[in-house]
């Protein structure tokens, strides 16, 4: 069997087991309603939490940046690419996050690659929650540090692993956790993690991709939510979700950011955000800085939608945030459920293995500040109808 036949066979296996991902093509901008294949559907699967992805203020900032700065950054920032707007964005993000400094890279994924292998080597130990995001897992894989995996959100398990790392005489002990777990919507036990970090002299790193724009004052994120901004050593952020644009950043002490600028490979070897992205992200940061209105709307929507689903009898797992996993468990059934929702005008993706463990398939409904109560009621009526016909309710 040649290489291409092998690939065809692998794809067929994925299809047969209900694991083949369907990628829809959008014919309109991000919004509460979008067009797919000429059909208008309610968008319930984007991470555009606050609706900023097609916001007029951000678009105008991006257009002006193109007029002033062009479309490309020229090269990696250390060689030719640092423009004044990159620095303005980093300064504003640092103010927003209440930290000394930030470093913006191309994506949240890259921000993890920029930090984890750069600040750890074979003398060190990384303590990672078992359900951490793929970009953390890959960052850990790139590091030569010893790995200590702790059970999801289990502080006893974290302590056991810290004891092991101590026995192994690790120079640095780096605890890493997602702030909000993206598939379940639960929140990391940050106060307990910080306490253990102090006890065992470890560093705390939080990937706040789904916490920014959602948790804390004006969406400052999980550290602010728990009033622990000064206790967290490294925060990872993304500009692609609540901020509505694209890009990622690292937030922390100035000396950490100075070091990353010298050593982090995604910063040194990959070009920066384009002027349009940078200016739009800056405008998003300013928007969040100025008002809590969108964050409040997001939470009002999430509470309304989730309480109605629960009343109907749906299992929405352990979520504590607007991420709403509608648990179906079986992979094939989940895919069919998602297709049925789509037929009824609702775009809500099925999430199956390997994104979540086998047998834990779900429809992941993402609530946005853009949804109106009528939109949510429309979705709820469809969930009720389809849930009954699938024997889920
Ligand atoms: N970290 C976490 C926890 C995420 O959920 C995501 C996005 N799925 C990322 C990092 C990657 O962010 P980006 O899309 O900006 O690369």
């Amino acid at each position: 069997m040649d290489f291409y036949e092998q690939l065809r066979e692998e794809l067929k296996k994925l299809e047969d087991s209900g694991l083949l991902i369907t990628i829809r093509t959008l014919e309109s901008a991000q919004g509460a309603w979008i067009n797919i294949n000429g059909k208008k559907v309610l968008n319930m699967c984007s991470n555009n939490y606050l609706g900023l992805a097609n916001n007029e203020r951000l678009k105008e900032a991006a257009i002006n940046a193109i007029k002033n700065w062009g479309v490309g950054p020229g090269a990696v920032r250390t060689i030719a690419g640092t423009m004044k707007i990159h620095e303005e964005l980093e300064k504003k993000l640092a103010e927003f996050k209440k930290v000394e400094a930030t470093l913006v890279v191309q994506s949240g994924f890259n921000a993890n690659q920029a930090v984890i292998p750069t600040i750890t080597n074979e003398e060190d130990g990384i303590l990672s929650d078992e359900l951490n995001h793929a970009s953390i897992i890959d960052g850990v894989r790139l590091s030569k540090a010893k790995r200590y995996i702790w059970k999801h959100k289990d502080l006893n398990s974290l302590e056991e692993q810290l004891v092991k790392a101590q026995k192994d005489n690790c120079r640095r002990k780096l605890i890493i956790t997602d702030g909000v777990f993206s598939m379940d919507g639960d929140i990391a036990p940050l106060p307990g993690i910080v306490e253990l970090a102090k006890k065992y002299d470890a560093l705390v790193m939080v990937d706040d991709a789904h916490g920014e724009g959602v948790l804390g004052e004006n969406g400052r994120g999980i550290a602010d939510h728990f009033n622990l901004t000064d206790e967290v050593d490294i925060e990872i952020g993304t500009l692609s979700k609540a901020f509505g644009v694209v890009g990622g950043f690292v937030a922390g002490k100035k000396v950490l950011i100075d070091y990353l600028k010298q050593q982090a490979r995604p910063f040194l070897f990959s070009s920066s955000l384009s002027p349009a992205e940078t200016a739009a992200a800056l405008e998003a940061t300013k928007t969040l800085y100025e008002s809590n209105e969108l964050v409040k709307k997001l939470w009002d929507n999430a509470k309304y939608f989730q309480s109605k689903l629960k009343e109907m009898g749906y299992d929405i797992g352990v979520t504590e945030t607007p991420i709403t996993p509608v648990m179906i468990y079986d992979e094939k059934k989940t895919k069919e459920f998602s297709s049925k929702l789509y037929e009824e005008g609702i775009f809500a993706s099925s999430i199956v293995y390997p994104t979540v463990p086998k047998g834990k398939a779900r429809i992941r409904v993402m609530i946005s500040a853009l949804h109106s109560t009528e939109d949510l009621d429309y979705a709820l009526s469809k969930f009720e109808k389809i849930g009954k016909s699938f024997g889920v309710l």
Side-chain angles (χ1 to χ4, degrees):
M1 205 192 291
D2 78 5
F3 170 63
Y4 300 104
E5 279 169 29
Q6 286 166 5
L7 295 188
R8 257 176 236 116
E9 186 149 299
E10 290 295 325
L11 284 170
K12 179 82 179 55
K13 272 193 214 155
L14 287 175
E15 188 169 12
D16 291 347
S17 50
L19 300 178
L20 195 72
I21 300 164
T22 311
I23 303 175
R24 308 267 187 200
T25 306
L26 272 62
E27 290 152 356
S28 61
Q30 284 293 336
W33 292 84
I34 47 177
N35 292 335
I36 299 176
N37 275 338
K39 184 176 159 165
K40 200 173 152 203
V41 288
L42 184 63
N43 187 3
M44 301 204 95
C45 53
S46 101
N47 293 325
N48 182 24
Y49 284 109
L50 303 177
L52 293 178
N54 192 30
N55 175 283
E56 288 308 322
R57 225 177 119 175
L58 270 66
K59 287 200 286 190
E60 204 183 314
I63 291 164
N64 286 335
I66 290 175
K67 286 185 185 153
N68 292 330
W69 298 94
V71 291
V76 298
R77 282 174 61 186
T78 44
I79 296 173
T82 285
M83 292 170 166
K84 212 167 142 236
I85 44 172
H86 292 124
E87 287 172 356
E88 274 175 43
L89 171 60
E90 284 167 344
K91 198 161 162 267
K92 195 76 202 168
L93 277 172
E95 270 175 48
F96 178 66
K97 297 289 289 183
K98 296 186 179 163
V99 295
E100 285 179 14
T102 67
L103 178 70
V104 171
V105 290
Q106 306 81 6
S107 68
F109 197 103
N110 270 6
N112 278 314
Q113 320 306 304
V115 173
I116 302 168
T118 310
I119 62 163
T120 56
N121 65 25
E122 55 280 348
E123 293 175 78
D124 304 316
I126 298 173
L127 300 104
S128 183
D129 183 294
E130 64 181 347
L131 292 192
N132 274 344
H133 187 257
S135 56
I136 296 176
I137 296 172
D138 284 10
V140 174
R141 283 180 181 150
L142 283 173
S143 167
K144 294 196 173 75
K146 294 183 199 70
R147 297 165 196 182
Y148 304 87
I149 309 301
W150 44 294
K151 292 203 187 96
H152 181 50
K153 287 179 57 170
D154 183 335
L155 293 172
N156 291 327
S157 170
L158 173 59
E159 183 154 25
E160 275 165 30
Q161 297 302 321
L162 279 163
V163 168
K164 274 192 199 160
Q166 203 170 41
K167 279 193 188 135
D168 291 342
N169 284 322
C170 291
R171 176 189 65 153
R172 290 178 187 155
K173 294 183 276 296
L174 176 64
I175 303 174
I176 313 180
T177 183
D178 277 24
V180 174
F181 288 83
S182 57
M183 294 301 137
D184 291 300
D186 50 342
I187 301 177
L190 200 57
I193 292 173
V194 163
E195 212 171 288
L196 285 173
K198 278 190 185 147
K199 185 168 166 191
Y200 291 91
D201 190 25
L203 295 162
V204 178
M205 169 168 163
V206 183
D207 181 337
D208 207 15
H210 285 276
E212 268 138 14
V214 178
L215 296 175
E217 185 202 16
N218 288 33
R220 283 191 164 78
I222 186 171
D224 184 80
H225 169 77
F226 284 117
N227 208 6
L228 288 171
T229 302
D230 294 338
E231 314 292 335
V232 170
D233 298 284
I234 304 159
E235 281 187 76
I236 297 296
T238 177
L239 300 169
S240 69
K241 303 187 195 303
F243 284 76
V245 194
V246 76
F249 65 92
V250 186
K253 294 241 182 300
K254 184 174 176 301
V255 61
L256 168 77
I257 301 305
D258 286 347
Y259 184 75
L260 294 176
K261 280 183 180 166
Q262 300 301 316
Q263 298 286 319
R265 293 168 77 83
F267 181 74
L268 295 176
F269 298 109
S270 183
S271 295
S272 63
L273 290 190
S274 73
E277 292 159 341
T278 310
L282 176 60
E283 206 57 34
T285 316
K286 288 181 183 167
T287 305
L288 278 169
Y289 211 94
E290 286 163 18
S291 161
N292 197 34
E293 199 184 323
L294 292 172
V295 180
K296 187 176 172 312
K297 180 79 183 353
L298 169 70
W299 277 96
D300 287 348
N301 278 353
K303 282 181 187 155
Y304 178 74
F305 190 75
Q306 291 179 355
S307 69
K308 294 280 177 192
L309 277 184
K310 278 199 223 161
E311 268 171 37
M312 273 179 211
Y314 271 109
D315 171 2
I316 57 167
V318 291
T319 186
E320 302 167 77
T321 61
I323 297 171
T324 309
V326 179
M327 302 304 297
I328 313 286
Y329 298 100
D330 178 77
E331 273 80 26
K332 255 192 150 153
K333 200 170 181 180
T334 307
K335 298 212 115 208
E336 284 161 18
F337 200 109
S338 170
S339 304
K340 193 74 201 162
L341 280 169
Y342 184 72
E343 267 173 40
E344 297 275 356
I346 311 238
F347 184 30
S349 290
S350 55
I351 307 282
V352 297
Y353 178 82
T355 311
V356 291
K358 276 191 181 147
K360 290 266 175 95
R362 78 240 5 223
I363 306 288
R364 179 167 168 266
V365 181
M366 296 301 285
I367 303 297
S368 166
L370 280 181
H371 292 129
S372 66
T373 310
E374 295 75 55
D375 294 338
L376 298 177
D377 284 340
Y378 177 79
L380 287 163
S381 71
K382 300 299 178 189
F383 265 95
E384 185 157 37
K385 181 175 160 196
I386 300 166
K388 280 181 180 154
S389 73
F390 270 67
V392 176
L393 289 182

